[in-house]
Amino acid sequence: MSVGDRHDLDVLPARAAGLRAVHLDRDGSGPPGEPHRITSLSDLPDRLPSAG
């Protein structure tokens, strides 16, 4: 998994490489419709796969 605050430089390239990517969009300026967006790192644990 990859987490990045730059959608164009962090999220899109990670997805192109086959990684699951989450956009850290603290100020809400990211692209509309991004389904994997968090506004704080404290939201990240909810996006992580559970260890089983």
Side-chain angles (χ1 to χ4, degrees), residues 3-38:
V3 178
D5 61 348
R6 289 283 311 263
H7 194 266
D8 58 342
L9 296 178
D10 300 329
V11 177
L12 296 180
R15 288 182 183 155
L19 297 173
R20 186 172 160 213
V22 175
H23 183 205
L24 176 59
D25 188 12
R26 289 185 172 116
D27 62 4
S29 65
E34 169 56 54
H36 304 288
R37 175 193 322 257
I38 58 176

